[in-house]
Amino acid sequence: MGKVTGYYKEECARHGWQPEPHQIIYRANILIAETGEKAQRALAHYPRQPAFLLKDGVATALLELDQRNVAGEGRRPGNVNRVLPINFSGGPDEIVAQLKQARAEIGCGVVDLFFQTPGSEGPEELMEALELFGEKVLPHIHDI
């Protein structure tokens, strides 16, 4: 992602503007648990295939249509494996470190997180993840 935002900043500068961190949004998936070990166990339940299976020919054709210019490298598929990646995973300390690294490498000032709770059937696990993030992560990243 650092390469992508670097290209974005170069293009902005070429047009006389430089985005500030609060103008760079990184949308990502997060899996947070009480410990890194628990997060790794939860990842084992994360889907390894797309939610909606398509015949190979259809999937290939759609991926071909969804070619993008990624960091000035020309046309590339926008999606690699048809499954959304988990961008941040671990216990609170690991998540804090990962978010600080994202800020340093990407320059993002806003992170739009989609919380993952693989294998859960109700909202309880999601609420626990949100509370854990709010209590153990936010106090350590709000100044970055």
Side-chain angles (χ1 to χ4, degrees):
M1 285 306 300
K3 187 175 187 177
V4 172
T5 53
Y7 176 76
Y8 173 66
K9 289 177 182 179
E10 288 171 11
E11 288 299 300
C12 289
R14 198 165 65 87
H15 295 283
W17 177 69
Q18 198 56 248
E20 296 181 33
H22 72 273
Q23 295 168 315
I24 299 176
I25 301 170
Y26 183 47
R27 289 190 171 91
N29 291 300
I30 183 172
L31 192 155
I32 186 171
E34 292 173 4
T35 66
E37 186 177 284
K38 286 184 180 183
Q40 287 300 316
R41 284 196 302 266
L43 273 175
H45 296 286
Y46 192 71
R48 301 290 181 237
Q49 63 184 25
F52 303 103
L53 294 176
L54 300 171
K55 290 184 179 180
D56 283 339
V58 174
T60 302
L62 288 173
L63 289 173
E64 181 64 29
L65 287 171
D66 188 25
Q67 296 283 313
R68 302 171 186 196
N69 178 348
V70 178
E73 294 180 352
R75 290 173 45 93
R76 281 193 352 201
N79 185 310
V80 177
N81 62 3
R82 298 170 40 208
V83 177
L84 294 174
I86 297 293
N87 308 91
F88 302 105
S89 175
D93 292 340
E94 293 165 300
I95 297 293
V96 168
Q98 292 166 14
L99 288 168
K100 286 182 177 183
Q101 180 181 0
R103 171 59 186 253
E105 291 182 17
I106 301 169
C108 55
V110 178
V111 181
D112 181 9
L113 297 171
F114 184 73
F115 285 76
Q116 301 292 320
T117 54
S120 66
E121 295 184 15
E124 296 80 19
E125 288 88 353
L126 176 59
M127 295 307 295
E128 289 174 14
L130 290 169
E131 288 174 12
L132 184 60
F133 186 83
E135 293 172 8
K136 303 286 184 173
V137 175
L138 282 180
H140 300 285
I141 63 166
H142 103 292
D143 63 334
I144 61 169

